[in-house]
Structures are given as C-alpha cells and as structure tokens.
C-alpha cells in the first residue's frame, strides 16, 4: 500500500526568544531544546498508527508538525505526496486534527450549530455541512444530544463532537492527541471503535497519541514509541522491541 505519511530525519528544536520578542513571550525556555531528534517514520494509507511515549517525549509536537502548525528545523515530511513546507495549504485541506481539552467551541450554541459555524470557516456550503453532520451524527452516535447546548455536554459528548468537527471535510489523514482522555473505559472503547471504523471503511489514515497500551494493542495496526524526541520502536505491539518499554500497562 502507498504511504500516506513519509517522515525522513525530522528534527525540531525549541529555542528561547531573543530581542524584543523575549519581552512579549510567555515561554520559559532558557536554552535550546531538541524536541524531535532525527525521526524517520512511514505510515501507510488507511493504517491506524499509535504513538506512545512518556510525557515530554515529543508526541504532541510531532502531531503539530504533521498538521502544519509548526515547521521542522531539519528533515522532510510528505503527506499524501505533498511536501509539508511547499504544499502547506494543500495539506491543511486534507488533514483533520483532534486536540485534548479543546476550548474553541461556543458554549451557548448547540453541537449542530457549532459544526455549522466551523464548517463555514472551511468554506463548506450549508447543504454540505448538513449532509456531513447527518452522517457524522449517525457514525458517532450523537443524535440524542447534537441539538443540546454545548455547555451541557459530558466529556464523552465533547470528545465525539471534536472528532466530528475534524471529520467535517472528510480528511484523508486524521491526527488525534489522546482522544480518550477523561473518558471511562466503556466510553473510550466505544469512541475508538467508531474511529477504527473510519480507517476500515473510509480508508482514513489515523495517527493517535495514547498512553494506554491496551488501546494501542486493540485498535492500532502498528505502534511507535517516542522517547526524548527519538523514535526508539516501530512495529507491532507483540514485537520483542516493545517488551523493554512496557510497565504496568503504560509506556515508560
């Protein structure tokens, strides 16, 4: 199968602000920090790839690079054949992103009204937004709360709406940062099954950050472990490479 994501020797360094920028920056960085260090990774089209690792390993930074929010310092990234730097806008049109603790929804609007608003920002027609909303509401089991105000939503409802918003434009690649954070086990399993359905039936390529090995084992085709910015393992959860990185059902 073709590769949807091709990462070659990717390096990202966070540097302290200098000059006048230093006075307006909220960053506490006082020296260069290499967050991603020579990462090489290929993800096949339609694959569910799990990204694990301890806090501060660079997982979220890698997702932000893939979603074009930040640029790499060295190396190359191609998504669906497009170069991350030269073809930024073509990639934006084809990639959806799910962040944890999302606060950009409008609390006084219903879930449906929120989707209409964000769909309009994507230049989708009202007819297209409503069609996709019906499809996603059925897929994500949102019919019974989609017209309720967002401020009445539970954590699980908010997570489902996050995924639905990311899927409005039918992205070929879906990036998810801990999509089950704050969910009970039953709700987390239900959400992941629906996400897995996207990969199997829509050929959506999914990269998912998680700290839970059980999630990775049950829902991911392949897994990578980041540690101090380096990709130290890449393969199946059953591979011997992973055994030294497992402890208590989590990745250390």
């Amino acid at each position: 199968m073709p590769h949807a994501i091709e990462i070659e020797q990717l390096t990202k360094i966070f540097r302290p602000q200098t000059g006048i920028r230093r006075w307006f920056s909220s960053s506490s960085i006082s020296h260069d920090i290499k967050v991603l260090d020579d990462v090489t990774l290929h993800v096949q089209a339609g694959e569910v790839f799990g990204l694990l690792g301890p806090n501060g390993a660079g997982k979220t930074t890698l997702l932000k690079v893939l979603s074009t929010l930040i640029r790499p310092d060295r190396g190359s990234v191609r998504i669906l054949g497009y170069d991350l730097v030269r073809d930024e806008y073509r990639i934006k049109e084809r990639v959806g992103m799910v962040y944890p603790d999302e606060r950009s929804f409008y609390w006084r609007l219903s879930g449906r009204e929120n989707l209409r608003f964000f769909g309009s920002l994507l230049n989708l027609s009202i007819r297209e937004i409503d069609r996709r909303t019906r499809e996603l509401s059925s897929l994500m089991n949102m019919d019974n709360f989609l017209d309720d105000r967002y401020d009445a939503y539970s954590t699980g409802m908010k997570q489902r709406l996050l995924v639905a918003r990311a899927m409005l434009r039918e992205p070929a690649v879906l990036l998810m940062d801990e999509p089950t954070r704050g969910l009970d086990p039953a709700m987390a399993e239900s959400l992941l099954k629906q996400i897995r359905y996207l990969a199997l039936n829509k050929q959506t390529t999914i990269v998912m950050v998680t700290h839970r090995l059980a999630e990775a084992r049950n829902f991911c085709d392949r897994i990578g472990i980041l540690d101090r910015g380096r990709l130290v393992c890449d393969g199946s959860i059953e591979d011997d490479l992973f055994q030294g990185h497992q402890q208590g059902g989590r990745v250390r």
Side-chain angles (χ1 to χ4, degrees):
M1 294 183 66
H3 290 130
I5 299 173
E6 300 171 89
I7 303 171
E8 302 287 348
Q9 298 179 311
L10 173 65
T11 297
K12 179 61 187 177
I13 301 171
F14 287 162
R15 296 182 171 89
Q17 296 288 351
T18 58
I20 193 171
R21 292 182 179 179
R22 178 167 56 92
W23 298 103
F24 297 96
S25 174
S26 60
S27 173
S28 59
I29 296 176
S30 59
H31 60 281
D32 287 1
I33 300 176
K34 187 178 288 187
V35 185
L36 295 173
D37 186 2
D38 200 31
V39 173
T40 295
L41 173 66
H42 295 165
V43 180
Q44 291 184 347
E47 183 175 25
V48 180
F49 186 85
L51 193 60
L52 298 90
N55 291 332
K59 304 182 297 298
T60 297
T61 298
L62 180 56
L63 290 193
K64 288 183 176 180
V65 170
L66 295 178
S67 64
T68 74
L69 288 179
I70 58 178
R71 290 192 172 187
D73 290 289
R74 291 195 296 273
S76 66
V77 178
R78 297 186 69 84
I79 298 179
L80 304 170
Y82 295 108
D83 181 82
L84 185 77
V85 176
R86 294 197 305 268
D87 305 311
E88 176 182 345
Y89 292 103
R90 291 183 180 272
I91 291 175
K92 284 181 182 293
E93 292 175 349
R94 293 162 173 83
V95 173
M97 181 73 184
V98 178
Y99 288 110
D101 302 325
E102 179 59 56
R103 293 185 175 90
S104 63
F105 285 114
Y106 288 90
W107 290 74
R108 296 187 179 185
L109 299 181
S110 68
R112 187 184 306 276
E113 290 166 336
N114 268 287
L115 291 180
R116 282 179 177 171
F117 172 76
F118 287 104
S120 68
L121 295 182
L122 298 173
N123 293 321
L124 298 177
S125 68
I126 293 297
R127 183 176 180 179
E128 180 69 5
I129 294 170
D130 288 345
R131 180 186 69 83
R132 289 294 295 152
T133 297
R134 287 193 300 271
E135 293 175 353
L136 292 166
S137 181
S138 176
L139 174 65
M140 304 300 297
N141 292 327
M142 300 190 303
D143 289 342
N144 64 333
F145 64 82
L146 189 60
D147 291 305
D148 295 342
R149 275 178 43 144
Y150 182 81
D151 57 6
Y153 281 15
S154 67
T155 301
M157 294 174 182
K158 292 176 182 177
Q159 292 295 93
R160 290 168 190 266
L161 194 66
L162 274 172
V163 176
R165 185 178 68 177
M167 292 297 298
L168 267 178
R169 197 157 48 182
E170 299 186 82
V173 175
L174 182 61
L175 309 172
M176 301 191 300
D177 194 354
E178 296 189 67
T180 61
R181 179 189 290 185
L183 301 185
D184 62 67
M187 182 64 72
E189 182 177 5
S190 174
L191 179 61
L192 289 175
K193 283 181 177 178
Q194 290 153 349
I195 291 168
R196 180 72 184 172
Y197 173 89
L198 295 174
L200 293 176
N201 294 276
K202 303 291 187 179
Q203 280 298 293
T204 305
T205 304
I206 297 172
V207 178
M208 180 180 77
V209 167
T210 179
H211 285 288
R212 303 173 181 175
L213 282 172
E215 288 185 355
R217 181 182 293 110
N218 293 333
F219 296 99
C220 298
D221 300 306
R222 197 157 51 92
I223 297 165
I225 296 179
L226 274 176
D227 188 12
R228 300 177 187 177
R230 299 187 66 87
L231 188 68
V232 296
C233 293
D234 173 16
S236 167
I237 192 71
E238 285 78 21
D239 291 348
D240 292 339
L241 286 171
F242 287 97
Q243 303 310 308
H245 295 270
Q246 300 183 32
Q247 183 180 47
R250 295 174 68 87
V251 173
R252 61 178 176 83

